[in-house]
Amino acid sequence: MIRFQQVSKAYRGGQQALQKVSFHLPKGDMAFLTGHSGAGKSTLLKLLCAIERPSDGQVLFNGHDISRIDRKEIPFLRRHIGVIFQDHKLLMDRSVFDNVALPLRIEQANESDIKKRVSAALDKVGLLDKSACLPIQLSGGEQQRVGIARAVVNRPQVLIADEPTGNLDAALSAQIMDLFRQFNQVGVTVLMATHDTSLLNSYDMRRFDLNRGHLSEVPRHG
Ligand SMILES: Nc1ncnc2c1ncn2[C@@H]1O[C@H](COP(=O)(O)OP(=O)(O)OP(=O)(O)O)[C@@H](O)[C@H]1O
């Protein structure tokens, strides 16, 4: 489903963020992406949703090379990929409902569909009763769950998350992790960048580690 082949990324100004990165994440897999600050984790995730383009190599999504994807095709790619950011990037002047509805409104779904799907996504993350609230009225963990509802509302094949538990305590992190696992159990492929060592120790999952732009897979226990 996701395949990187010898992918390198140099930013303007010469900063080499990724160096000949290769890996394969098959459909239905769930994996962690780890590495020190500046190792290239966010860069790798940005290449996957075409926010950035590689300087060299191929990024394949379902067999299609998206590294040189036409601008016009990017919205179609993004429909298949739900993205969760650490700072959740919610619109603070819009209700929880409107935040989650955003991807469906961009797709021009009809209002009755939007209502059904937003309610289902908010129910899944346990926030149906908060749909009329503004994000500012919610806790950090609740805001993060709104971001997850928005990422899954159009039923993407892949979820990518950049430090989704970064600001949360252990109990909330475990809740967020459970949500990802539930999505994974119904077939969604999940790639999650994290620094959170307690998460890494609690879940025996595939783990890719970046070190100064070089990627290797960490052998699993047991
Ligand atoms: N837009 C950019 N322009 C220039 N250099 C960049 C840009 N974005 C990232 N970099 C550089 O690329 C390298 C990798 O950055 P990246 O954000 O991918 O790392 P990271 O592993 O996600 O770090 P962190 O854990 O601190 O978020 C860093 O040296 C960073 O300074």
Short mmCIF file of all heavy atoms in Angstrom, two decimals, residues 28-76:
data_model
loop_
_atom_site.label_atom_id
_atom_site.label_comp_id
_atom_site.label_asym_id
_atom_site.label_seq_id
_atom_site.Cartn_x
_atom_site.Cartn_y
_atom_site.Cartn_z
N GLY A 28 -3.38 -2.66 5.87
CA GLY A 28 -3.83 -3.24 7.14
C GLY A 28 -2.76 -3.30 8.22
O GLY A 28 -3.03 -3.70 9.34
N ASP A 29 -1.53 -2.87 7.89
CA ASP A 29 -0.45 -2.85 8.89
C ASP A 29 -0.58 -1.62 9.79
O ASP A 29 -1.21 -0.63 9.42
CB ASP A 29 0.91 -2.79 8.19
CG ASP A 29 1.68 -4.09 8.37
OD1 ASP A 29 1.05 -5.12 8.65
OD2 ASP A 29 2.93 -4.07 8.21
N MET A 30 0.08 -1.70 10.95
CA MET A 30 0.17 -0.52 11.82
C MET A 30 1.61 -0.45 12.30
O MET A 30 2.16 -1.45 12.75
CB MET A 30 -0.79 -0.69 12.99
CG MET A 30 -0.79 0.47 13.95
SD MET A 30 -2.28 0.46 14.96
CE MET A 30 -1.91 1.77 16.10
N ALA A 31 2.23 0.73 12.19
CA ALA A 31 3.64 0.84 12.55
C ALA A 31 3.93 2.18 13.21
O ALA A 31 3.24 3.18 12.95
CB ALA A 31 4.52 0.68 11.31
N PHE A 32 4.94 2.17 14.06
CA PHE A 32 5.46 3.40 14.65
C PHE A 32 6.61 3.92 13.79
O PHE A 32 7.35 3.13 13.17
CB PHE A 32 6.06 3.12 16.03
CG PHE A 32 5.06 2.86 17.12
CD1 PHE A 32 5.12 1.69 17.86
CD2 PHE A 32 4.09 3.80 17.45
CE1 PHE A 32 4.23 1.46 18.91
CE2 PHE A 32 3.20 3.58 18.49
CZ PHE A 32 3.26 2.40 19.22
N LEU A 33 6.78 5.25 13.82
CA LEU A 33 7.95 5.88 13.20
C LEU A 33 8.62 6.69 14.31
O LEU A 33 7.99 7.57 14.90
CB LEU A 33 7.48 6.80 12.07
CG LEU A 33 8.54 7.62 11.34
CD1 LEU A 33 9.52 6.71 10.60
CD2 LEU A 33 7.87 8.56 10.33
N THR A 34 9.87 6.33 14.61
CA THR A 34 10.57 7.00 15.71
C THR A 34 11.84 7.67 15.19
O THR A 34 12.21 7.48 14.03
CB THR A 34 10.93 6.00 16.83
OG1 THR A 34 11.74 4.96 16.27
CG2 THR A 34 9.69 5.38 17.44
N GLY A 35 12.50 8.40 16.10
CA GLY A 35 13.75 9.06 15.72
C GLY A 35 13.91 10.35 16.50
O GLY A 35 12.92 10.93 16.95
N HIS A 36 15.15 10.79 16.63
CA HIS A 36 15.44 12.00 17.39
C HIS A 36 14.80 13.22 16.73
O HIS A 36 14.36 13.16 15.57
CB HIS A 36 16.97 12.18 17.49
CG HIS A 36 17.64 12.28 16.15
ND1 HIS A 36 17.74 13.46 15.48
CD2 HIS A 36 18.19 11.34 15.34
CE1 HIS A 36 18.35 13.27 14.33
NE2 HIS A 36 18.63 11.98 14.22
N SER A 37 14.79 14.32 17.45
CA SER A 37 14.26 15.57 16.89
C SER A 37 15.11 15.95 15.67
O SER A 37 16.34 15.93 15.74
CB SER A 37 14.35 16.64 17.97
OG SER A 37 13.84 17.82 17.46
N GLY A 38 14.43 16.24 14.56
CA GLY A 38 15.15 16.60 13.34
C GLY A 38 15.58 15.40 12.51
O GLY A 38 16.26 15.57 11.49
N ALA A 39 15.16 14.18 12.91
CA ALA A 39 15.60 12.97 12.19
C ALA A 39 14.94 12.83 10.82
O ALA A 39 15.43 12.10 9.96
CB ALA A 39 15.28 11.73 13.03
N GLY A 40 13.78 13.51 10.63
CA GLY A 40 13.11 13.43 9.33
C GLY A 40 11.71 12.83 9.39
O GLY A 40 11.10 12.60 8.33
N LYS A 41 11.16 12.62 10.58
CA LYS A 41 9.85 11.96 10.71
C LYS A 41 8.74 12.76 10.02
O LYS A 41 7.97 12.22 9.23
CB LYS A 41 9.49 11.76 12.21
CG LYS A 41 10.53 10.95 12.97
CD LYS A 41 10.14 10.77 14.42
CE LYS A 41 10.07 12.05 15.23
NZ LYS A 41 11.35 12.77 15.38
N SER A 42 8.66 14.05 10.36
CA SER A 42 7.59 14.87 9.75
C SER A 42 7.78 14.95 8.24
O SER A 42 6.80 14.92 7.48
CB SER A 42 7.58 16.28 10.32
OG SER A 42 7.44 16.23 11.71
N THR A 43 9.03 15.03 7.81
CA THR A 43 9.30 15.10 6.37
C THR A 43 8.76 13.85 5.68
O THR A 43 8.09 13.94 4.64
CB THR A 43 10.81 15.24 6.13
OG1 THR A 43 11.26 16.43 6.77
CG2 THR A 43 11.15 15.28 4.66
N LEU A 44 9.02 12.68 6.27
CA LEU A 44 8.56 11.42 5.66
C LEU A 44 7.03 11.43 5.54
O LEU A 44 6.46 11.09 4.49
CB LEU A 44 9.05 10.24 6.50
CG LEU A 44 8.84 8.84 5.93
CD1 LEU A 44 9.91 7.89 6.47
CD2 LEU A 44 7.47 8.28 6.24
N LEU A 45 6.34 11.87 6.61
CA LEU A 45 4.87 11.89 6.59
C LEU A 45 4.36 12.91 5.56
O LEU A 45 3.36 12.67 4.89
CB LEU A 45 4.31 12.19 7.98
CG LEU A 45 4.67 11.17 9.08
CD1 LEU A 45 4.03 11.55 10.41
CD2 LEU A 45 4.24 9.75 8.69
N LYS A 46 5.07 14.03 5.44
CA LYS A 46 4.65 15.05 4.47
C LYS A 46 4.80 14.56 3.03
O LYS A 46 4.01 14.93 2.16
CB LYS A 46 5.46 16.33 4.65
CG LYS A 46 5.02 17.13 5.87
CD LYS A 46 5.91 18.34 6.06
CE LYS A 46 5.55 19.09 7.32
NZ LYS A 46 6.59 20.06 7.68
N LEU A 47 5.80 13.72 2.77
CA LEU A 47 5.96 13.18 1.41
C LEU A 47 4.79 12.26 1.08
O LEU A 47 4.33 12.20 -0.06
CB LEU A 47 7.27 12.39 1.30
CG LEU A 47 8.56 13.19 1.42
CD1 LEU A 47 9.77 12.26 1.32
CD2 LEU A 47 8.64 14.27 0.36
N LEU A 48 4.31 11.58 2.12
CA LEU A 48 3.23 10.61 1.93
C LEU A 48 1.91 11.28 1.56
O LEU A 48 1.08 10.69 0.88
CB LEU A 48 3.10 9.84 3.25
CG LEU A 48 2.40 8.52 3.28
CD1 LEU A 48 2.86 7.65 2.14
CD2 LEU A 48 2.71 7.85 4.62
N CYS A 49 1.70 12.50 2.05
CA CYS A 49 0.44 13.16 1.65
C CYS A 49 0.72 14.32 0.69
O CYS A 49 -0.13 15.19 0.52
CB CYS A 49 -0.39 13.56 2.86
SG CYS A 49 0.47 14.40 4.15
N ALA A 50 1.89 14.29 0.07
CA ALA A 50 2.23 15.25 -1.00
C ALA A 50 2.22 16.70 -0.54
O ALA A 50 1.96 17.61 -1.31
CB ALA A 50 1.35 15.05 -2.24
N ILE A 51 2.52 16.91 0.75
CA ILE A 51 2.74 18.29 1.23
C ILE A 51 4.13 18.72 0.77
O ILE A 51 4.37 19.87 0.46
CB ILE A 51 2.62 18.36 2.77
CG1 ILE A 51 1.17 18.07 3.21
CG2 ILE A 51 3.08 19.73 3.31
CD1 ILE A 51 0.97 17.98 4.71
N GLU A 52 5.05 17.76 0.75
CA GLU A 52 6.40 17.98 0.21
C GLU A 52 6.65 16.94 -0.89
O GLU A 52 5.98 15.90 -0.92
CB GLU A 52 7.47 17.80 1.30
CG GLU A 52 7.45 18.84 2.39
CD GLU A 52 8.01 20.20 1.97
OE1 GLU A 52 8.55 20.31 0.84
OE2 GLU A 52 7.89 21.14 2.77
N ARG A 53 7.62 17.22 -1.74
CA ARG A 53 7.99 16.28 -2.78
C ARG A 53 9.43 15.80 -2.58
O ARG A 53 10.27 16.59 -2.14
CB ARG A 53 7.88 16.93 -4.16
CG ARG A 53 6.45 17.05 -4.59
CD ARG A 53 6.29 17.90 -5.80
NE ARG A 53 4.89 18.19 -6.00
CZ ARG A 53 4.12 17.60 -6.92
NH1 ARG A 53 4.64 16.72 -7.75
NH2 ARG A 53 2.85 17.90 -7.02
N PRO A 54 9.70 14.52 -2.90
CA PRO A 54 11.08 14.05 -2.73
C PRO A 54 12.02 14.68 -3.75
O PRO A 54 11.58 15.08 -4.83
CB PRO A 54 10.96 12.53 -2.95
CG PRO A 54 9.72 12.34 -3.73
CD PRO A 54 8.81 13.49 -3.43
N SER A 55 13.30 14.75 -3.38
CA SER A 55 14.30 15.22 -4.34
C SER A 55 14.70 14.07 -5.26
O SER A 55 15.14 14.29 -6.38
CB SER A 55 15.55 15.70 -3.61
OG SER A 55 15.21 16.41 -2.48
N ASP A 56 14.55 12.84 -4.72
CA ASP A 56 14.95 11.67 -5.49
C ASP A 56 14.18 10.45 -4.98
O ASP A 56 13.73 10.44 -3.83
CB ASP A 56 16.46 11.45 -5.30
CG ASP A 56 17.04 10.62 -6.42
OD1 ASP A 56 16.33 10.38 -7.41
OD2 ASP A 56 18.20 10.21 -6.29
N GLY A 57 14.03 9.44 -5.82
CA GLY A 57 13.36 8.21 -5.40
C GLY A 57 11.86 8.27 -5.66
O GLY A 57 11.35 9.25 -6.21
N GLN A 58 11.18 7.19 -5.25
CA GLN A 58 9.75 7.07 -5.54
C GLN A 58 8.95 6.83 -4.27
O GLN A 58 9.35 6.04 -3.40
CB GLN A 58 9.50 5.87 -6.45
CG GLN A 58 9.96 6.10 -7.87
CD GLN A 58 9.48 4.97 -8.75
OE1 GLN A 58 9.58 3.80 -8.40
NE2 GLN A 58 8.94 5.32 -9.91
N VAL A 59 7.80 7.51 -4.18
CA VAL A 59 6.84 7.24 -3.10
C VAL A 59 5.62 6.63 -3.78
O VAL A 59 4.96 7.29 -4.59
CB VAL A 59 6.45 8.54 -2.36
CG1 VAL A 59 5.40 8.24 -1.29
CG2 VAL A 59 7.68 9.21 -1.74
N LEU A 60 5.35 5.36 -3.46
CA LEU A 60 4.23 4.68 -4.11
C LEU A 60 3.06 4.53 -3.15
O LEU A 60 3.24 4.10 -2.01
CB LEU A 60 4.67 3.29 -4.60
CG LEU A 60 5.81 3.29 -5.62
CD1 LEU A 60 6.39 1.89 -5.79
CD2 LEU A 60 5.34 3.82 -6.96
N PHE A 61 1.89 4.91 -3.61
CA PHE A 61 0.67 4.72 -2.83
C PHE A 61 -0.27 3.87 -3.68
O PHE A 61 -0.63 4.27 -4.79
CB PHE A 61 0.03 6.08 -2.49
CG PHE A 61 -1.22 5.96 -1.67
CD1 PHE A 61 -1.12 5.71 -0.30
CD2 PHE A 61 -2.47 6.07 -2.23
CE1 PHE A 61 -2.26 5.57 0.48
CE2 PHE A 61 -3.61 5.93 -1.46
CZ PHE A 61 -3.51 5.69 -0.10
N ASN A 62 -0.58 2.67 -3.20
CA ASN A 62 -1.38 1.72 -3.99
C ASN A 62 -0.80 1.54 -5.40
O ASN A 62 -1.54 1.48 -6.38
CB ASN A 62 -2.83 2.18 -4.11
CG ASN A 62 -3.59 1.92 -2.83
OD1 ASN A 62 -3.22 1.07 -2.03
ND2 ASN A 62 -4.66 2.66 -2.61
N GLY A 63 0.53 1.50 -5.46
CA GLY A 63 1.17 1.24 -6.75
C GLY A 63 1.37 2.48 -7.62
O GLY A 63 2.05 2.42 -8.64
N HIS A 64 0.76 3.61 -7.21
CA HIS A 64 0.93 4.83 -8.01
C HIS A 64 2.07 5.66 -7.45
O HIS A 64 2.14 5.87 -6.23
CB HIS A 64 -0.33 5.69 -7.99
CG HIS A 64 -1.53 4.99 -8.53
ND1 HIS A 64 -1.70 4.75 -9.87
CD2 HIS A 64 -2.60 4.45 -7.91
CE1 HIS A 64 -2.82 4.10 -10.06
NE2 HIS A 64 -3.40 3.90 -8.88
N ASP A 65 2.91 6.16 -8.34
CA ASP A 65 4.02 7.01 -7.89
C ASP A 65 3.46 8.41 -7.62
O ASP A 65 3.02 9.09 -8.54
CB ASP A 65 5.08 7.06 -9.00
CG ASP A 65 6.30 7.87 -8.56
OD1 ASP A 65 6.33 8.32 -7.39
OD2 ASP A 65 7.21 8.04 -9.39
N ILE A 66 3.45 8.78 -6.33
CA ILE A 66 2.88 10.09 -6.00
C ILE A 66 3.97 11.16 -5.84
O ILE A 66 3.68 12.29 -5.48
CB ILE A 66 2.01 10.03 -4.72
CG1 ILE A 66 2.81 9.54 -3.52
CG2 ILE A 66 0.77 9.19 -4.95
CD1 ILE A 66 2.10 9.80 -2.19
N SER A 67 5.22 10.76 -6.13
CA SER A 67 6.29 11.74 -5.90
C SER A 67 6.26 12.87 -6.93
O SER A 67 6.72 13.96 -6.65
CB SER A 67 7.65 11.06 -5.87
OG SER A 67 7.78 10.16 -6.93
N ARG A 68 5.68 12.59 -8.09
CA ARG A 68 5.58 13.64 -9.09
C ARG A 68 4.13 13.86 -9.49
O ARG A 68 3.82 14.19 -10.62
CB ARG A 68 6.45 13.29 -10.30
CG ARG A 68 7.88 13.73 -10.07
CD ARG A 68 8.92 12.79 -10.68
NE ARG A 68 10.19 12.92 -9.97
CZ ARG A 68 10.58 12.16 -8.96
NH1 ARG A 68 9.80 11.21 -8.50
NH2 ARG A 68 11.74 12.35 -8.37
N ILE A 69 3.25 13.67 -8.53
CA ILE A 69 1.81 13.76 -8.78
C ILE A 69 1.44 15.18 -9.23
O ILE A 69 2.02 16.17 -8.76
CB ILE A 69 1.06 13.36 -7.48
CG1 ILE A 69 -0.44 13.22 -7.70
CG2 ILE A 69 1.32 14.32 -6.37
CD1 ILE A 69 -1.16 12.66 -6.45
N ASP A 70 0.51 15.24 -10.16
CA ASP A 70 0.02 16.53 -10.65
C ASP A 70 -0.76 17.22 -9.53
O ASP A 70 -1.49 16.56 -8.78
CB ASP A 70 -0.92 16.23 -11.83
CG ASP A 70 -1.16 17.44 -12.67
OD1 ASP A 70 -2.02 18.27 -12.27
OD2 ASP A 70 -0.49 17.57 -13.69
N ARG A 71 -0.62 18.53 -9.43
CA ARG A 71 -1.33 19.30 -8.40
C ARG A 71 -2.83 18.98 -8.36
O ARG A 71 -3.43 18.89 -7.30
CB ARG A 71 -1.17 20.79 -8.70
CG ARG A 71 -0.42 21.53 -7.65
CD ARG A 71 -0.11 22.93 -8.14
NE ARG A 71 1.23 23.30 -7.77
CZ ARG A 71 1.61 23.63 -6.55
NH1 ARG A 71 0.74 23.65 -5.57
NH2 ARG A 71 2.86 23.94 -6.28
N LYS A 72 -3.40 18.83 -9.54
CA LYS A 72 -4.85 18.60 -9.65
C LYS A 72 -5.26 17.28 -8.98
O LYS A 72 -6.40 17.11 -8.57
CB LYS A 72 -5.28 18.54 -11.12
CG LYS A 72 -5.21 19.87 -11.83
CD LYS A 72 -6.01 19.84 -13.13
CE LYS A 72 -5.50 18.83 -14.15
NZ LYS A 72 -4.28 19.22 -14.85
N GLU A 73 -4.31 16.33 -8.92
CA GLU A 73 -4.65 15.01 -8.38
C GLU A 73 -4.50 14.92 -6.87
O GLU A 73 -4.93 13.94 -6.26
CB GLU A 73 -3.74 13.95 -9.01
CG GLU A 73 -4.00 13.72 -10.49
CD GLU A 73 -3.00 12.71 -11.03
OE1 GLU A 73 -3.08 11.55 -10.62
OE2 GLU A 73 -2.13 13.13 -11.81
N ILE A 74 -3.89 15.95 -6.27
CA ILE A 74 -3.61 15.89 -4.83
C ILE A 74 -4.88 15.72 -3.99
O ILE A 74 -4.92 14.88 -3.09
CB ILE A 74 -2.74 17.09 -4.38
CG1 ILE A 74 -1.34 16.92 -4.98
CG2 ILE A 74 -2.66 17.18 -2.86
CD1 ILE A 74 -0.37 18.06 -4.68
N PRO A 75 -5.97 16.46 -4.28
CA PRO A 75 -7.19 16.25 -3.48
C PRO A 75 -7.68 14.80 -3.52
O PRO A 75 -8.20 14.30 -2.52
CB PRO A 75 -8.20 17.20 -4.12
CG PRO A 75 -7.39 18.22 -4.83
CD PRO A 75 -6.14 17.54 -5.27
N PHE A 76 -7.51 14.10 -4.66
CA PHE A 76 -7.96 12.71 -4.75
C PHE A 76 -7.11 11.81 -3.87
O PHE A 76 -7.61 10.91 -3.20
CB PHE A 76 -7.93 12.23 -6.21
CG PHE A 76 -8.87 12.99 -7.08
CD1 PHE A 76 -8.41 14.00 -7.91
CD2 PHE A 76 -10.24 12.73 -7.04
CE1 PHE A 76 -9.28 14.73 -8.69
CE2 PHE A 76 -11.12 13.46 -7.83
CZ PHE A 76 -10.65 14.46 -8.64
#
